[in-house]
Amino acid sequence: MSNYSIDIKHTNRKNIVKFEANKFLFNDEAFELNNIDEAKSAPLAQQLFYLPFVKKVYMAQNFIAVEKYDIVEWDAVEGELAEQIQTYLNEGKPLIINHKPSQNVAVTVYAESTPNPGVMKFVANKKLVLQSFEFKNIDETAISPLAQALFHFPFIKELYFDENYISIQKYDIAEWNDITMELREFIRNYIQEGKTIIAEEKLEANKNKATETKVNIENLDDTSKEIVAILDEYVKPAVANDGGNILFDSYNPETQTVKVILQGACSGCPSSTITLKNGIETMLRDMLQGKVNHVEAVNG
Protein backbone atom coordinates (compact mmCIF):
# COMPACT_ATOMS: atom_id res chain seq x y z
CA MET A 1 0.00 0.00 0.00
CA SER A 2 1.29 3.45 -0.89
CA ASN A 3 2.57 5.57 1.94
CA TYR A 4 2.41 8.81 -0.01
CA SER A 5 -0.39 10.27 -2.08
CA ILE A 6 -0.25 13.50 -4.06
CA ASP A 7 -2.98 16.10 -4.55
CA ILE A 8 -2.74 18.66 -7.35
CA LYS A 9 -3.31 22.23 -6.14
CA HIS A 10 -3.47 25.14 -8.55
CA THR A 11 -2.15 28.47 -7.27
CA ASN A 12 -2.93 32.11 -8.04
CA ARG A 13 0.04 32.06 -10.44
CA LYS A 14 -1.10 30.17 -13.52
CA ASN A 15 2.36 28.77 -14.30
CA ILE A 16 2.87 27.28 -10.81
CA VAL A 17 1.17 24.15 -9.48
CA LYS A 18 1.69 22.62 -6.04
CA PHE A 19 1.83 18.86 -5.66
CA GLU A 20 0.83 18.36 -2.02
CA ALA A 21 1.77 15.22 -0.13
CA ASN A 22 -0.27 13.65 2.64
CA LYS A 23 2.82 13.64 4.87
CA PHE A 24 5.50 16.13 5.79
CA LEU A 25 8.52 16.08 3.51
CA PHE A 26 10.67 18.59 5.42
CA ASN A 27 10.58 20.11 8.88
CA ASP A 28 11.31 23.82 8.60
CA GLU A 29 13.40 24.00 5.46
CA ALA A 30 12.43 25.14 1.98
CA PHE A 31 14.33 24.98 -1.30
CA GLU A 32 14.04 27.00 -4.51
CA LEU A 33 15.91 25.46 -7.44
CA ASN A 34 16.25 27.43 -10.66
CA ASN A 35 17.97 24.89 -12.90
CA ILE A 36 19.42 21.39 -13.06
CA ASP A 37 22.82 22.56 -11.78
CA GLU A 38 21.27 23.87 -8.58
CA ALA A 39 19.49 20.53 -8.16
CA LYS A 40 22.67 18.42 -7.86
CA SER A 41 21.85 17.56 -4.25
CA ALA A 42 18.11 17.17 -4.92
CA PRO A 43 17.57 13.98 -6.99
CA LEU A 44 13.82 14.40 -7.45
CA ALA A 45 14.18 18.02 -8.58
CA GLN A 46 16.98 16.99 -10.93
CA GLN A 47 14.70 14.33 -12.40
CA LEU A 48 11.96 16.91 -12.91
CA PHE A 49 14.33 19.28 -14.72
CA TYR A 50 14.78 16.67 -17.46
CA LEU A 51 11.21 17.54 -18.48
CA PRO A 52 11.54 20.37 -21.03
CA PHE A 53 8.65 22.41 -19.63
CA VAL A 54 9.98 22.62 -16.04
CA LYS A 55 11.34 26.08 -15.26
CA LYS A 56 11.73 26.03 -11.45
CA VAL A 57 11.18 23.57 -8.61
CA TYR A 58 10.22 24.54 -5.07
CA MET A 59 10.25 22.11 -2.14
CA ALA A 60 8.80 22.86 1.29
CA GLN A 61 7.10 21.23 4.27
CA ASN A 62 4.50 19.08 2.51
CA PHE A 63 4.68 19.96 -1.16
CA ILE A 64 6.71 20.07 -4.35
CA ALA A 65 5.80 23.08 -6.52
CA VAL A 66 6.71 23.32 -10.16
CA GLU A 67 6.83 26.42 -12.33
CA LYS A 68 6.49 25.65 -16.04
CA TYR A 69 7.34 27.32 -19.31
CA ASP A 70 4.44 28.27 -21.60
CA ILE A 71 5.12 25.50 -24.11
CA VAL A 72 2.51 23.23 -22.47
CA GLU A 73 -0.75 23.58 -20.52
CA TRP A 74 -1.08 22.08 -17.06
CA ASP A 75 -4.02 19.85 -17.94
CA ALA A 76 -1.77 18.02 -20.40
CA VAL A 77 1.04 17.24 -17.95
CA GLU A 78 -0.02 17.68 -14.29
CA GLY A 79 -1.43 14.18 -13.88
CA GLU A 80 1.71 12.51 -15.15
CA LEU A 81 3.86 14.83 -13.03
CA ALA A 82 1.87 14.03 -9.89
CA GLU A 83 2.25 10.31 -10.57
CA GLN A 84 6.00 10.70 -11.11
CA ILE A 85 6.44 12.56 -7.81
CA GLN A 86 4.26 10.06 -5.93
CA THR A 87 6.19 7.10 -7.34
CA TYR A 88 9.51 8.66 -6.39
CA LEU A 89 8.39 9.27 -2.81
CA ASN A 90 6.98 5.78 -2.40
CA GLU A 91 10.24 4.25 -3.57
CA GLY A 92 11.84 5.77 -0.47
CA LYS A 93 14.44 7.76 -2.37
CA PRO A 94 15.96 10.85 -0.71
CA LEU A 95 14.76 14.34 -1.57
CA ILE A 96 18.04 15.95 -0.47
CA ILE A 97 21.52 14.39 -0.24
CA ASN A 98 24.79 15.66 1.22
CA HIS A 99 22.92 18.50 2.84
CA LYS A 100 23.62 19.92 6.27
CA PRO A 101 20.31 20.90 7.85
CA SER A 102 20.06 24.51 8.92
CA GLN A 103 19.46 25.38 12.54
CA ASN A 104 15.88 25.01 13.66
CA VAL A 105 13.76 28.09 13.14
CA ALA A 106 12.58 29.50 16.45
CA VAL A 107 8.97 28.53 17.12
CA THR A 108 6.52 31.19 18.23
CA VAL A 109 3.01 30.57 19.52
CA TYR A 110 0.42 33.21 20.29
CA ALA A 111 -3.03 32.93 21.83
CA GLU A 112 -6.08 34.25 20.02
CA SER A 113 -9.60 34.50 21.39
CA THR A 114 -12.56 32.99 19.51
CA PRO A 115 -16.31 33.73 19.44
CA ASN A 116 -16.66 30.83 21.88
CA PRO A 117 -15.61 32.11 25.34
CA GLY A 118 -14.73 28.56 26.36
CA VAL A 119 -12.24 28.12 23.51
CA MET A 120 -8.84 29.71 22.88
CA LYS A 121 -6.86 29.34 19.66
CA PHE A 122 -3.07 28.80 19.95
CA VAL A 123 -1.40 29.71 16.65
CA ALA A 124 2.15 28.66 15.67
CA ASN A 125 4.43 30.16 13.02
CA LYS A 126 4.72 26.80 11.24
CA LYS A 127 2.40 24.14 9.90
CA LEU A 128 1.57 21.53 12.53
CA VAL A 129 -0.75 19.09 10.74
CA LEU A 130 -1.82 18.35 7.18
CA GLN A 131 -5.46 17.66 8.04
CA SER A 132 -7.71 18.58 10.92
CA PHE A 133 -8.19 16.40 14.01
CA GLU A 134 -10.72 16.63 16.83
CA PHE A 135 -10.19 14.97 20.20
CA LYS A 136 -13.11 14.82 22.62
CA ASN A 137 -11.19 13.04 25.37
CA ILE A 138 -7.89 11.32 26.12
CA ASP A 139 -9.17 7.95 24.86
CA GLU A 140 -9.21 9.38 21.32
CA THR A 141 -5.57 10.50 21.38
CA ALA A 142 -3.78 7.29 20.34
CA ILE A 143 -2.63 9.02 17.14
CA SER A 144 -1.39 12.19 18.85
CA PRO A 145 1.20 12.32 21.63
CA LEU A 146 0.70 16.10 21.85
CA ALA A 147 -3.06 15.79 22.36
CA GLN A 148 -2.46 13.10 24.96
CA ALA A 149 0.00 15.36 26.80
CA LEU A 150 -2.40 18.31 26.73
CA PHE A 151 -5.21 16.24 28.26
CA HIS A 152 -3.05 15.82 31.35
CA PHE A 153 -3.97 19.41 32.17
CA PRO A 154 -7.11 18.90 34.29
CA PHE A 155 -8.88 21.96 32.86
CA ILE A 156 -8.78 20.83 29.21
CA LYS A 157 -12.10 19.56 27.87
CA GLU A 158 -11.61 19.15 24.09
CA LEU A 159 -8.95 19.77 21.43
CA TYR A 160 -9.03 20.61 17.74
CA PHE A 161 -5.89 20.66 15.54
CA ASP A 162 -5.79 22.28 12.10
CA GLU A 163 -3.07 23.68 9.85
CA ASN A 164 -0.93 25.85 12.18
CA TYR A 165 -3.15 26.11 15.26
CA ILE A 166 -4.69 24.24 18.17
CA SER A 167 -8.10 25.19 19.53
CA ILE A 168 -8.47 24.31 23.19
CA GLN A 169 -11.82 24.09 24.97
CA LYS A 170 -11.59 24.34 28.75
CA TYR A 171 -13.73 23.46 31.72
CA ASP A 172 -15.13 26.32 33.78
CA ILE A 173 -12.88 25.53 36.76
CA ALA A 174 -10.12 27.64 35.20
CA GLU A 175 -9.99 31.15 33.75
CA TRP A 176 -8.06 31.91 30.57
CA ASN A 177 -6.09 34.63 32.34
CA ASP A 178 -4.65 31.99 34.66
CA ILE A 179 -3.79 29.25 32.14
CA THR A 180 -3.12 30.86 28.74
CA MET A 181 0.57 31.59 29.33
CA GLU A 182 1.19 28.08 30.69
CA LEU A 183 -0.48 26.45 27.69
CA ARG A 184 1.24 28.73 25.20
CA GLU A 185 4.68 27.90 26.58
CA PHE A 186 3.92 24.20 26.82
CA ILE A 187 2.85 24.03 23.17
CA ARG A 188 5.77 26.19 22.01
CA ASN A 189 8.35 24.06 23.85
CA TYR A 190 6.79 20.83 22.59
CA ILE A 191 6.99 21.98 18.97
CA GLN A 192 10.46 23.51 19.37
CA GLU A 193 11.82 20.22 20.71
CA GLY A 194 10.62 18.44 17.57
CA LYS A 195 8.33 16.03 19.37
CA THR A 196 5.67 14.08 17.48
CA ILE A 197 2.37 15.88 16.97
CA ILE A 198 0.59 13.20 14.93
CA ALA A 199 1.93 9.65 14.77
CA GLU A 200 1.42 8.95 11.07
CA GLU A 201 1.95 5.21 11.48
CA LYS A 202 -1.04 5.00 13.83
CA LEU A 203 -3.54 6.84 11.61
CA GLU A 204 -4.79 3.82 9.65
CA ALA A 205 -5.14 1.67 12.78
CA ASN A 206 -7.05 4.33 14.68
CA LYS A 207 -9.69 5.63 12.29
CA ASN A 208 -12.33 7.47 14.29
CA LYS A 209 -14.20 10.75 14.32
CA ALA A 210 -10.98 12.56 15.14
CA THR A 211 -9.80 11.83 11.60
CA GLU A 212 -13.07 12.62 9.82
CA THR A 213 -12.24 15.90 8.17
CA LYS A 214 -13.48 15.43 4.61
CA VAL A 215 -16.81 14.29 3.26
CA ASN A 216 -16.85 11.45 0.73
CA ILE A 217 -19.17 12.88 -1.92
CA GLU A 218 -19.15 9.88 -4.28
CA ASN A 219 -22.39 8.37 -2.95
CA LEU A 220 -24.22 11.65 -2.29
CA ASP A 221 -27.19 12.93 -4.29
CA ASP A 222 -26.79 16.05 -6.42
CA THR A 223 -28.29 18.43 -3.85
CA SER A 224 -26.04 17.10 -1.09
CA LYS A 225 -23.02 17.61 -3.36
CA GLU A 226 -24.09 21.22 -3.92
CA ILE A 227 -24.44 21.73 -0.17
CA VAL A 228 -20.95 20.32 0.47
CA ALA A 229 -19.50 22.59 -2.22
CA ILE A 230 -21.16 25.68 -0.71
CA LEU A 231 -19.99 24.81 2.81
CA ASP A 232 -16.42 24.24 1.58
CA GLU A 233 -16.23 27.46 -0.42
CA TYR A 234 -18.16 29.96 1.68
CA VAL A 235 -18.44 28.66 5.24
CA LYS A 236 -15.33 26.67 6.11
CA PRO A 237 -12.82 29.53 5.60
CA ALA A 238 -14.82 31.76 7.95
CA VAL A 239 -15.18 29.20 10.74
CA ALA A 240 -11.50 28.20 10.36
CA ASN A 241 -10.53 31.79 11.16
CA ASP A 242 -12.47 31.37 14.40
CA GLY A 243 -10.68 28.11 15.26
CA GLY A 244 -13.39 25.71 14.17
CA ASN A 245 -14.71 23.53 11.38
CA ILE A 246 -18.02 22.44 9.88
CA LEU A 247 -18.74 19.08 8.24
CA PHE A 248 -21.74 18.00 6.20
CA ASP A 249 -23.63 15.16 7.92
CA SER A 250 -26.83 14.56 5.96
CA TYR A 251 -29.63 16.04 3.85
CA ASN A 252 -33.29 15.07 4.04
CA PRO A 253 -35.12 16.11 0.85
CA GLU A 254 -38.53 15.48 2.40
CA THR A 255 -38.06 17.90 5.29
CA GLN A 256 -35.46 19.95 3.37
CA THR A 257 -33.22 19.75 6.43
CA VAL A 258 -29.43 19.85 6.38
CA LYS A 259 -27.54 18.41 9.33
CA VAL A 260 -23.95 19.43 10.01
CA ILE A 261 -21.22 18.60 12.53
CA LEU A 262 -19.48 21.46 14.33
CA GLN A 263 -15.88 21.02 15.46
CA GLY A 264 -13.34 23.01 17.42
CA ALA A 265 -14.40 26.44 18.64
CA CYS A 266 -17.76 26.05 16.86
CA SER A 267 -18.73 23.05 18.98
CA GLY A 268 -20.75 24.20 21.97
CA CYS A 269 -20.33 27.87 21.05
CA PRO A 270 -23.20 30.03 22.38
CA SER A 271 -23.31 31.93 19.09
CA SER A 272 -23.29 28.83 16.88
CA THR A 273 -27.10 28.61 16.79
CA ILE A 274 -27.32 32.21 15.61
CA THR A 275 -24.64 31.55 13.01
CA LEU A 276 -26.46 28.45 11.76
CA LYS A 277 -29.84 30.17 11.51
CA ASN A 278 -28.91 33.69 10.42
CA GLY A 279 -25.87 32.78 8.36
CA ILE A 280 -25.59 29.27 6.97
CA GLU A 281 -29.32 28.50 6.80
CA THR A 282 -30.06 31.78 5.04
CA MET A 283 -27.21 31.22 2.57
CA LEU A 284 -28.33 27.71 1.66
CA ARG A 285 -31.95 28.84 1.30
CA ASP A 286 -30.93 31.61 -1.07
CA MET A 287 -28.49 29.55 -3.11
CA LEU A 288 -30.60 26.38 -3.24
CA GLN A 289 -34.10 27.79 -3.38
CA GLY A 290 -36.83 25.23 -2.84
CA LYS A 291 -34.38 22.61 -1.61
CA VAL A 292 -33.27 23.77 1.88
CA ASN A 293 -35.37 25.16 4.72
CA HIS A 294 -33.54 24.19 7.90
CA VAL A 295 -29.98 23.66 9.08
CA GLU A 296 -29.29 21.78 12.31
CA ALA A 297 -26.10 20.84 14.16
CA VAL A 298 -26.17 17.20 15.26
CA ASN A 299 -23.80 18.11 18.08
CA GLY A 300 -25.07 21.66 18.70
Side-chain angles (χ1 to χ4, degrees):
M1 185 177 66
S2 296
N3 292 321
Y4 287 95
S5 61
I6 295 293
D7 286 331
I8 300 170
K9 303 288 185 180
H10 290 267
T11 71
N12 56 9
R13 295 178 59 184
K14 68 174 186 177
N15 279 4
I16 297 179
V17 163
K18 291 169 67 176
F19 298 88
E20 291 191 353
N22 61 330
K23 296 184 179 183
F24 283 106
L25 306 177
F26 303 96
N27 289 325
D28 298 310
E29 294 187 291
F31 303 87
E32 179 178 335
L33 306 166
N34 295 289
N35 53 59
I36 198 167
D37 284 340
E38 293 184 6
K40 288 179 179 177
S41 62
L44 173 58
Q46 194 169 57
Q47 179 177 310
L48 295 175
F49 274 117
Y50 278 102
L51 300 171
F53 58 84
V54 172
K55 182 178 181 181
K56 288 185 180 181
V57 176
Y58 309 84
M59 300 190 297
Q61 277 188 297
N62 70 310
F63 68 85
I64 309 292
V66 174
E67 182 176 354
K68 71 173 181 64
Y69 289 105
D70 293 332
I71 58 172
V72 296
E73 297 299 326
W74 277 120
D75 57 4
V77 297
E78 61 186 21
E80 183 179 347
L81 204 55
E83 185 176 344
Q84 185 173 333
I85 293 170
Q86 181 172 298
T87 298
Y88 184 96
L89 294 174
N90 283 319
E91 288 175 350
K93 297 177 181 178
L95 290 169
I96 297 292
I97 57 176
N98 300 324
H99 173 72
K100 184 179 180 181
S102 59
Q103 291 184 338
N104 289 338
V105 177
V107 174
T108 61
V109 174
Y110 70 87
E112 184 179 288
S113 59
T114 75
N116 187 342
V119 175
M120 187 74 74
K121 185 177 174 182
F122 294 84
V123 186
N125 63 335
K126 62 174 289 183
K127 185 172 286 191
L128 305 178
V129 293
L130 301 180
Q131 68 178 84
S132 57
F133 298 90
E134 185 176 49
F135 305 99
K136 295 287 189 180
N137 54 61
I138 198 169
D139 287 340
E140 295 181 354
T141 62
I143 61 172
S144 176
L146 174 54
Q148 197 166 78
L150 285 169
F151 270 115
H152 282 87
F153 290 97
F155 46 75
I156 287 185
K157 184 178 181 181
E158 295 180 13
L159 299 167
Y160 177 75
F161 293 9
D162 198 7
E163 291 285 335
N164 66 325
Y165 70 85
I166 299 170
S167 289
I168 295 180
Q169 184 170 1
K170 69 175 181 63
Y171 287 105
D172 293 336
I173 58 169
E175 297 297 327
W176 285 122
N177 287 340
D178 299 326
I179 62 176
T180 297
M181 183 64 72
E182 181 181 10
L183 287 171
R184 186 177 69 82
E185 284 303 300
F186 178 86
I187 294 169
R188 189 193 69 80
N189 289 335
Y190 188 100
I191 299 168
Q192 185 72 64
E193 291 170 8
K195 295 180 179 178
T196 301
I197 296 173
I198 298 294
E200 300 284 349
E201 69 277 4
K202 294 184 179 180
L203 276 177
E204 287 299 322
N206 290 275
K207 286 287 185 182
N208 55 38
K209 286 197 172 182
T211 63
E212 292 177 7
T213 60
K214 292 183 180 180
V215 177
N216 185 352
I217 65 172
E218 291 182 3
N219 298 321
L220 297 180
D221 60 84
D222 290 341
T223 301
S224 295
K225 290 178 181 178
E226 289 183 87
I227 294 167
V228 172
I230 292 170
L231 292 178
D232 286 348
E233 182 173 356
Y234 297 102
V235 181
K236 280 196 174 188
V239 298
N241 285 336
D242 291 334
N245 189 31
I246 185 169
L247 291 173
F248 173 82
D249 180 74
S250 63
Y251 168 67
N252 186 327
E254 295 182 2
T255 61
Q256 297 187 342
T257 298
V258 177
K259 291 187 177 181
V260 296
I261 299 170
L262 300 177
Q263 295 180 317
C266 298
S267 179
C269 178
S271 63
S272 62
T273 301
I274 299 173
T275 301
L276 283 174
K277 295 301 178 184
N278 295 348
I280 301 169
E281 186 174 272
T282 300
M283 179 187 295
L284 290 175
R285 278 179 178 174
D286 291 343
M287 298 181 76
L288 299 172
Q289 292 186 11
K291 296 180 180 179
V292 174
N293 271 326
H294 306 287
V295 176
E296 300 175 359
V298 297
N299 59 336

